[in-house]
Amino acid sequence: MAAGAAARREPGPGPGGEKRILCVGLVCLDIISVVEAYPAEDSDIRCVSQRWQRGGNASNSCTVLALLGAPCAFMGSLAPGHAADFVLADLQRYGVDVGHAVPQPAGCLPTSVVIVNASRGTRTILHAHGNLPDVTAHDFELVDFSQYKWIHWEVFISKDVARHFGYQSAPEALQGLHSRIQPGATLICAWAEEGADAMGPSGELVHSDAFPPETLVDTLGAGDTFNAAVIFALSAGRSLQDALTFGCQIAGRKCGIQGFDGIV
Ligand code: ADP
């Protein structure tokens, strides 16, 4: 498979010698059915449209970074088979470097069946994790980190994780988790239509309102879009406030369209 030959190849800097952004995490297949209204259980309805889309947090953030014009690379496990060939080709179509995609000899690509309710913009996700092993410490030893200006691995806290810990808002999550992170770290938490909040290295709180689109169409991947746009801005040296605002602007635009094409 194409990734087999490419894996462990160091891509080198982007055009003009610019260092890349590396996103580590999931790539999966999203099978998306867009419906006018959320279906009742045991009903038989027609979709407005249906599509295959490459998904997964790191993979989606790579899509957005590529659309924003940032050289970026994806690192994560890849299964053998047709679905994996589809997502790999799609990463390459966006110009995302796949030199650190790690092909696994066996296993199934994780797959999500997603119901997007076009009248409300909600996305209901049924995720099958698959049985792929994660990338290993050895895989990381093969990465020349000097080629990257930013490595994204889950620094951001999603509202789902925050809720899991019992927090009801982004500021509450930041205050609550502050003592559990390294001094000097920055915590960022997005919260759908509430926008996003962050706590900077010296404990200062920053907020951006959301930028709701004219019509809410599709919120699948809004968080990944927000993360990518914030990373894009921070890695270009912009302030935390600027980055948060930019993240909400781009994520808001994403919520107004199906998929990601058209966010810039
Ligand atoms: P996810 O659930 O995908 O992790 P969120 O729902 O927290 O992500 O949304 C991430 C960002 O996307 C928010 O900070 C906001 O800027 C934008 N966003 C999400 N939903 C909406 C919405 N309904 N209206 C406006 N912006 C939204």
Side-chain angles (χ1 to χ4, degrees):
M1 163 177 179
R8 291 144 177 89
R9 174 183 60 77
E10 194 51 67
E18 195 183 338
K19 288 196 175 188
R20 291 166 194 268
I21 295 168
L22 179 66
C23 295
V24 184
L26 181 70
V27 63
C28 68
L29 173 66
D30 287 347
I31 300 173
I32 301 169
S33 295
V34 181
V35 294
E36 268 166 6
Y38 194 82
E41 186 173 347
D42 207 22
S43 58
D44 180 349
I45 61 158
R46 286 196 182 183
C47 301
V48 177
S49 63
Q50 206 169 50
R51 66 182 188 270
W52 278 29
Q53 187 171 293
R54 173 172 50 80
N57 51 7
S59 142
N60 283 341
S61 291
C62 280
T63 300
V64 174
L65 285 166
L67 289 170
L68 290 170
C72 63
F74 167 79
M75 183 175 190
S77 280
L78 209 55
H82 296 309
D85 291 346
F86 167 80
V87 298
L88 183 67
D90 194 64
L91 279 164
Q92 288 168 322
R93 189 165 70 86
Y94 279 84
V96 176
D97 196 285
V98 292
H100 289 298
V102 180
Q104 304 291 348
C108 296
L109 192 77
T111 302
S112 293
V113 169
V114 183
I115 300 172
V116 170
N117 180 351
S119 60
R120 304 183 60 196
T122 62
R123 85 291 184 267
T124 304
I125 303 172
L126 302 167
H127 184 64
H129 182 59
N131 50 1
L132 275 188
D134 275 332
V135 294
T136 63
H138 177 65
D139 294 316
F140 281 97
E141 282 166 14
L142 300 169
V143 180
D144 174 4
F145 289 109
S146 71
Q147 300 292 328
Y148 298 95
K149 62 177 175 180
W150 194 284
I151 317 277
H152 173 53
W153 191 325
E154 304 288 351
V155 183
F156 294 77
I157 304 157
S158 71
K159 70 175 183 311
D160 290 349
V161 169
R163 280 192 181 131
H164 175 78
F165 284 111
Y167 302 115
Q168 301 304 322
S169 70
E172 207 184 288
L174 295 177
Q175 297 286 1
L177 294 169
H178 176 57
S179 60
R180 297 169 66 164
I181 58 160
Q182 274 194 338
T186 297
L187 266 178
I188 300 175
C189 184
W191 209 281
E193 51 271 76
E194 307 286 320
D197 291 71
M199 186 180 278
S202 28
E204 73 276 19
L205 288 170
V206 173
H207 170 80
S208 169
D209 285 341
F211 291 79
E214 219 162 274
T215 311
L216 196 60
V217 170
D218 169 23
T219 56
L220 179 65
D224 303 328
T225 303
F226 169 82
N227 292 353
V230 170
I231 290 168
F232 178 83
L234 287 179
S235 68
R238 289 164 66 177
S239 71
L240 189 55
Q241 178 67 72
D242 268 10
L244 221 56
T245 305
F246 184 66
C248 287
Q249 279 170 338
I250 299 293
R253 248 184 258 165
K254 190 263 129 342
C255 294
I257 55 172
Q258 293 287 347
F260 299 97
D261 293 334
I263 55 164
V264 283

